Every structure is written in C-alpha cells, then in structure tokens.
Amino acid sequence: MSSKSDIPLLSEKHSGIPLNLLEKAQRAKALIYETRTKETKTRERLPAIPQGIDKSTFIKALDELGDQLGTDNVEVNEKPLVDGWYMEHPNTHDMMPILDDEELVASAVVYPSSTEEVQRIVLWANKYSIPIFPISMGRNLGYGGAAPRVRGSVVIDLGKRMNKILDINPNDYTCLVEPGVSFYALYEAIQAKGYDHMWIDTPDLGGGSVIGNTLDRGVGYTPYGDHWACHSGLEVVLPTGEVIRTGMGALPGNNTWQTFPYGFGPYSDGIFSQSNFGIVTKMGMTLMPNPGGYESFMYAFQKEGDLEALIEIIRPLRIGNILENVAQVRHAIQTLAVKGLPRTKYFSGDGPIPEEIVREQLRKMPIGDHTWLYYGMSYGPPHIRKYKLDIIDQEFKKIPGARKIDPSTLPEDEYFWSRDRIAAGVPDLVELLWVNWVPNGAHVAFSPVSPIRGADAMKLFNLGKRRHDEFGIDFLPAFCVGLREMHLIVEIVYDKNDPVKRKAANDCLREMIDDAAKEGYGEYRTHLVLMDQVAGTYSWNDGALMKFNERLKDALDPNGILAPGKSGIWPARYRGRGWEMGKSSGGRSEGNGVTPSKNTKL
Ligand code: ADP
C-alpha cells in the first residue's frame, strides 16, 4: 500500500476510513465519479451573510472570533461548493441538495477545540445575533448533511478538533465520546483494546458520529439499535452559554453518569434531541455484551402482497424478541440498486423501471427472483439460536413461496454480507452504493412510522407507490421493524444536477408527507427542507406541541441564535416572516428578514 491514501484514513483524520475498508471505499468512490457530470460552479450568490446583519459588522465579528479561536479555526465559505462524496464530504453545505446549491449554505465554518470554546462561540453569536448551526460529522445525508437551515449561518464543526473517546469502560459496558467520534473510530478503538466482550451498534454506514446520529435518533441493527434509548448522559452548552450535564452528570463526583440516564428530577435529555435547544459536547453510550455467537438469515417472498402477511407474522415474533434486531424488509428493486450500477445498465427509458426488468435481473443472481427480502440476525450460542430460528422458519414458511436463502450460496460481495456485518456491530460502507442508481445521485428519505401491522404496511406501500408513479420516480421502500413500531424508509434517489428531477423529488416528498398525515402517519425524522411541513403535521390541539417548543425556544435562546428553523422550531425573531418551507415556497429557503435583535443581555 502506498504511504498516502487518496481517501483520508482514520489514522490521519477523525472523519477518515479504517484501513480495512479502504479498498471498498476506493471502489465506491470510483463508481460515484464514473456517473458524475455535475461540475463545480463559481459562486453566484456571494457573500452568504445571514439576514439581520450588515456585511462589515459580520466581517468584523468573524475577525473577533478568529482572535479568540485562532484565525485557522474560522473559515469563510466563499470558495466553490465542492460536493465530494461520503468519505470526503463538505462541511459548508448539503452535498445532496434538493434545492439550488446556494440555498442552504454556511457563511463560515468554525472549529472549537473544547467545551469552553463552544461557549465562547455561543456568546459571540449572541453578541452579534448571528445564527449558528452545530454539526458533529456533517454526514447526515438524506436529511441535510452538514447544511444549516438558515442560509448564511455559521456552522460549528465540532468534530474536527473535539474527537476524543474520553472513556471506554470494559466493566460497565459504556463509553463517553466527543462529537467527532465516528462509529468507525469507536469500533476500531474497542478492537484495539482487545475488548472482545463488547459490541457497538452501527447504522448502515459507519462514517457518521455517534453523537450526531444519536441526537437525530438514528438507528442501528443489533438489539441496541435504538441509539437514543441507549445513550446515557449529555454535556450541553446552552444557547446562552452555560454548560449543563444531564442525568447523574449533575452530581459532582458521581461514577454513574454513563450507567443511569435519568438522575433526579425532570429528564431533560429529550429536549436536546432533534431540536435547537443546545450543543452537545459529550455523550455517554451503552455498549452491548458480545452475545456469544450470531447468525444472519434471509428469506425471500415472491409477491408484493406477501408484505401484509409477513408483517403480521413479524409482529409477535419481534415483540417477543424471537426476532431480535431492527430487521429490514427490503424491496426487490433495492437488491438491484445496491449493486452500485446505474439503472441505465438495465433500462434506458424514462419513468419508473418496469418491474419485469428488475425481476429478469434478479433471476440471473444467486438470490433469485423475489419481491421482498427479510434480513435478520439471531444472537447467542448455537442451541439458543436454533430454538429461535426454528420458530422463525416455521412462521415465515406459512407464506406460500417463502424461501430461506442459504448464505453459503452467496458470493462474498453479496449485500447480505454487509447486513451480516452491520447486525454484528461492525461498521461498513456498502449501503451508499445505491446512490449511483442515477447520475449525480443524491437521496432524501421519507420515513413515516406505523404500528407493525400488515394493513398499515400495505397502506403506506401503496401510498408511496402511487406518488412515485405520478412523479415518474423509482420506488425504493424498506421497512425497518422496531420493537412496537416500524419505520418505512423510502429513499428517493435523484440527479442533483437536474432541477426538474430535484423538483419532482421535492414535490413527491411533500405529497407523501401530506398523504401520510391524512392517514394518521408521521415521520420520525426528516430533511431540513421538509422540517416545517413535517412539524406542521404534529398539530394536535391547535399545534399545542409546537407552541410548547416555541416557549422553550424563547426561554432558552432569547436571541434566537441556535439553529433557527431546525425541526420547524423558529425563534421569535423569525416568526411570521415567511421562513417556513412548504408546498408553496418552491425553491426558496429564506424568509423576509428578521426583527432586530432585542440583544438580551446574558
Ligand atoms: P453525523 O454525525 O451523523 O454526520 P451530523 O453532524 O450531520 O450527524 O448531525 C446530525 C444532526 O444533529 C444535525 O441536524 C445537527 O445539527 C445535529 N447535531 C449534530 N451534532 C450535534 C451536537 N453536538 N449538538 C447539537 N446538535 C447536533
């Protein structure tokens, strides 16, 4: 291997790739650039200064911050917007824009090295009423990446200099991390220490940070898949600059911060997740005991309508913990798309790829023809696994035509093996391959939650299919089954260089959000551009929840500086000025100014 990799390694950079995944990363990168035609343009809307401050004051303010943090740690974002790719992602904008590139961009990026420096940045933002937007890794792809919601916000890239694993406790099975610790980094550190008795839980891709993913309520695929439920203890810089520690962390001299999440009194952690109420600088996470063995399994189901019976079978097995992990039920088109090749390899027409073409391709693969694949894992020593796997087999085979696929028949590069690694807590890089389905591939997710019921699965499936057909978009659904609910994750993959395709994706998403809400379904997470609309669907009792959130926002962030608009929560200065994005806002992300800051003294 050459001494310097063309892709940053984890040993060189907090956001880098572990050496053992380098080859995969190189292949993934090559596939992406093979279909990329988008060129990096010169900037047309510079400078990207936030509304409410004039240019000279803004520049003076940045100079002042540079004096405090060091000039190298304050970067003005006036260079061309380079999208890069997953492993070399930007921290200035969304590398998968669904609006014009210039809409959701930072004016500058700053790099604190400590909680104290985060406090200073927050105080500075209050002094000048400048919106700031924290990211940990900025790889929240499909939901906005590193982009701020308000154009011209100053992005606080926490990960670059705050990326230490502060503790790994092999007795309590816990760890304490800073924002720049990726799933790759945590996994490698545990391996390096030889702690074979502990597993981490990882999302589909391991390059995100443990903190960012958890705060956005991301999931993984071991029995510890609900990251938010598995965290214990936060350190948070409030929008007014004070620092708090939640749970047991508030008790000086405690040794239970990472083992008991609640402490005493109101459980405050919840308000720092999917919100704009604080900047998390440390977080505790529980680790899973090595279950003493594991075995992945996969079943294929032939007909689209089999979904209904399958979900009914899954529910009691999942609630009863016979199905132990957040399992995935994926559609046939994804089996094809995750090969990483453009859809034009199979079909050159417009509109959704005909089903028969997908099936024809599947018949040529070792997995064979199917509509749905169930990917699961059984944990524990062989005799325990056998008990569970026998029940699963008996139940799944009640569906006519159901087939268990023997993993030994699958080649090494089959996607099944990536799911196998992930369900065993080993971070991977394969999932992003389906982004190459179209040139300049980008994706935004539609992620409604429903109970684990066959009728709901079919209703959501049909709702999504209908809208995708209407907008001429390939429909890529996957059901991720939690303990009492499931998320349908639909990834719309579109050519980010084509405004018509971007608009179709955006319009389709907006219709699906409304359709779903009419049927009583809401999204568990969403892209920055869709946050106002999704928040608006949670409107029970005349929007009582949003009124409560706004009251919290005004109390905690009187100058409205922290991530305005995130999760649809706007500070008082922005309200009533058309900042919300919805069906009628088109491609515009900005509102009509802000009221002059009251500049509440802190
Ligand atoms: P990832 O680490 O998965 O790449 P991001 O850094 O993109 O995640 O962040 C995901 C979301 O969580 C973003 O909306 C971001 O504003 C928020 N977020 C990330 N880190 C923090 C943090 N340390 N404090 C508060 N919010 C955060």
Side-chain angles (χ1 to χ4, degrees):
M1 229 212 57
S2 65
S3 58
K4 184 89 180 130
S5 148
D6 57 338
I7 297 169
L9 290 171
L10 187 56
S11 52
E12 300 159 0
K13 201 173 175 189
H14 75 289
S15 58
I17 191 87
L19 188 56
N20 62 350
L21 288 177
L22 180 60
E23 244 176 71
K24 265 190 193 173
Q26 283 163 334
R27 176 170 176 263
K29 182 175 180 179
L31 285 170
I32 287 169
Y33 282 93
E34 259 169 40
T35 59
R36 182 166 293 183
T37 57
K38 183 177 174 184
E39 283 167 16
T40 304
K41 290 181 282 200
T42 36
R43 302 281 298 275
E44 278 167 12
R45 286 169 61 189
L46 280 176
I49 291 176
Q51 295 198 24
I53 184 165
D54 63 78
K55 187 176 164 192
S56 61
T57 315
F58 183 69
I59 288 168
K60 182 175 141 262
L62 280 182
D63 285 346
E64 188 181 307
L65 191 62
D67 291 343
Q68 295 195 44
L69 304 184
T71 45
D72 286 353
N73 298 313
V74 177
E75 268 174 16
V76 178
N77 174 29
E78 55 195 5
K79 295 200 198 97
L81 299 171
V82 179
D83 286 348
W85 69 291
Y86 185 75
M87 286 314 302
E88 292 160 281
H89 67 298
N91 58 7
T92 44
H93 64 286
D94 186 359
M95 62 175 255
M96 297 189 165
I98 193 158
L99 305 179
D100 179 74
D101 282 357
E102 276 290 343
E103 283 295 324
L104 305 181
V105 294
S107 53
V109 184
V110 298
Y111 303 100
S113 67
S114 63
T115 301
E116 292 69 30
E117 288 195 351
V118 174
Q119 290 178 274
R120 282 199 221 163
I121 295 167
V122 165
L123 292 175
W124 167 87
N126 274 285
K127 178 174 167 190
Y128 291 102
S129 299
I130 290 173
I132 50 178
F133 192 91
I135 58 167
S136 283
M137 194 66 81
R139 282 195 179 122
N140 201 20
L141 304 181
Y143 298 107
R149 170 62 180 83
V150 166
R151 177 179 151 82
S153 299
V154 172
V155 162
I156 309 175
D157 183 338
L158 296 152
K160 184 177 175 191
R161 300 171 75 208
M162 297 173 72
N163 50 43
K164 286 191 288 300
I165 299 174
L166 299 167
D167 186 37
I168 299 177
N169 187 317
N171 302 313
D172 297 338
Y173 294 68
T174 60
C175 63
L176 181 68
V177 295
E178 288 190 329
V181 176
S182 67
F183 292 92
Y184 292 141
L186 184 58
Y187 176 80
E188 293 296 323
I190 289 174
Q191 295 305 109
K193 284 184 181 286
Y195 291 155
D196 294 342
H197 62 298
M198 294 193 299
W199 281 17
I200 70 159
D201 186 277
T202 175
D204 297 286
L205 294 166
S209 71
V210 180
I211 287 187
N213 180 277
T214 302
L215 291 178
D216 218 35
R217 300 203 287 268
V219 297
Y221 299 91
T222 73
Y224 278 38
D226 180 347
H227 294 164
W228 182 251
C230 290
H231 93 281
S232 183
L234 302 176
E235 179 183 89
V236 189
V237 175
L238 298 178
T240 40
E242 300 94 336
V243 191
I244 61 167
R245 288 188 176 181
T246 66
M248 297 307 294
L251 191 102
N254 82 84
N255 57 2
T256 43
W257 195 19
Q258 270 63 74
T259 52
F260 183 61
Y262 308 122
F264 179 76
Y267 177 55
S268 357
D269 290 38
I271 65 165
F272 299 112
S273 149
Q274 283 192 11
S275 78
N276 47 15
F277 299 153
I279 301 175
V280 174
T281 45
K282 292 183 182 65
M283 186 185 76
M285 195 72 183
T286 49
L287 300 166
M288 182 174 136
N290 181 335
Y294 60 91
E295 185 176 341
S296 281
F297 58 93
M298 175 161 66
Y299 284 82
F301 302 91
Q302 281 311 112
K303 298 200 299 283
E304 210 158 81
D306 288 344
L307 179 69
E308 180 153 10
L310 176 61
I311 298 292
E312 286 296 306
I313 288 170
I314 289 173
R315 184 181 58 250
L317 296 179
R318 184 74 182 98
I319 293 174
N321 222 19
I322 299 293
L323 293 170
E324 297 158 276
N325 66 337
V326 173
Q328 283 212 356
V329 182
R330 292 165 73 102
H331 194 269
I333 190 171
Q334 279 164 322
T335 318
L336 195 58
V338 82
K339 298 277 168 210
L341 302 174
R343 74 176 213 143
T344 46
K345 183 161 170 48
Y346 315 107
F347 175 61
S348 53
D350 280 334
I353 182 169
E355 198 183 320
E356 194 33 49
I357 292 187
V358 175
R359 306 296 279 254
E360 193 186 308
Q361 292 299 323
L362 297 180
R363 283 193 280 272
K364 294 187 215 155
M365 294 179 190
I367 289 180
D369 191 16
H370 60 270
T371 297
W372 298 104
L373 284 180
Y374 180 100
Y375 292 87
M377 184 176 269
S378 184
Y379 299 88
H383 65 289
I384 307 255
R385 299 202 303 263
K386 181 168 177 351
Y387 173 78
K388 294 177 278 196
L389 289 168
D390 283 351
I391 299 176
I392 294 164
D393 195 61
Q394 197 187 342
E395 291 298 310
F396 279 16
K397 291 225 174 113
K398 286 182 179 164
I399 298 177
R403 256 182 323 122
K404 184 168 186 176
I405 293 171
D406 176 1
S408 69
T409 63
L410 300 174
E412 229 176 79
D413 64 351
E414 179 59 50
Y415 176 68
F416 172 86
W417 296 116
S418 178
R419 292 243 68 86
D420 177 62
R421 281 185 289 276
I422 291 165
V426 183
D428 207 351
L429 186 72
V430 172
E431 187 67 25
L432 77 116
L433 289 179
W434 46 254
V435 171
N436 302 330
W437 191 239
V438 298
N440 309 301
H443 61 101
V444 173
F446 167 63
S447 327
V449 177
S450 80
I452 312 170
R453 288 195 206 125
D456 290 285
M458 288 312 294
K459 213 193 270 185
L460 282 169
F461 176 80
N462 289 327
L463 177 161
K465 178 100 178 56
R466 202 170 48 243
R467 288 297 185 188
H468 278 64
D469 286 347
E470 179 185 334
F471 288 97
I473 300 170
D474 285 323
F475 184 43
L476 279 75
F479 289 91
C480 297
V481 188
L483 257 187
R484 289 287 187 292
E485 56 67 52
M486 55 188 186
H487 305 354
L488 164 62
I489 310 284
V490 177
E491 292 286 2
I492 294 198
V493 186
Y494 58 95
D495 179 346
K496 63 182 171 186
N497 200 33
D498 181 341
V500 176
K501 295 276 195 296
R502 285 203 307 255
K503 181 172 183 321
N506 200 348
D507 289 350
C508 182
L509 284 157
R510 293 207 181 279
E511 293 299 345
M512 289 193 296
I513 292 166
D514 277 0
D515 291 347
K518 278 191 205 120
E519 301 282 349
Y521 304 111
E523 284 67 57
Y524 92 102
R525 185 180 186 185
T526 202
H527 189 280
L528 286 174
V529 163
L530 305 169
M531 283 178 174
D532 294 306
Q533 189 185 353
V534 167
T537 64
Y538 286 79
S539 60
W540 183 79
N541 194 15
D542 197 22
L545 184 60
M546 184 50 82
K547 287 179 194 164
F548 172 74
N549 286 336
E550 286 178 352
R551 216 183 305 162
L552 283 174
K553 183 70 180 164
D554 294 343
L556 294 172
D557 185 7
N559 292 321
I561 48 105
L562 186 59
K566 170 98 186 288
S567 295
I569 305 165
W570 290 98
R573 297 181 72 205
Y574 291 74
R575 278 178 227 146
R577 292 175 164 268
W579 282 86
E580 294 82 2
M581 271 188 274
K583 276 186 181 167
S584 58
S585 60
R588 174 200 54 79
S589 70
E590 288 191 284
N592 203 0
V594 288
T595 47
S597 168
K598 286 202 292 293
N599 234 319
T600 302
K601 284 277 172 291
L602 304 175

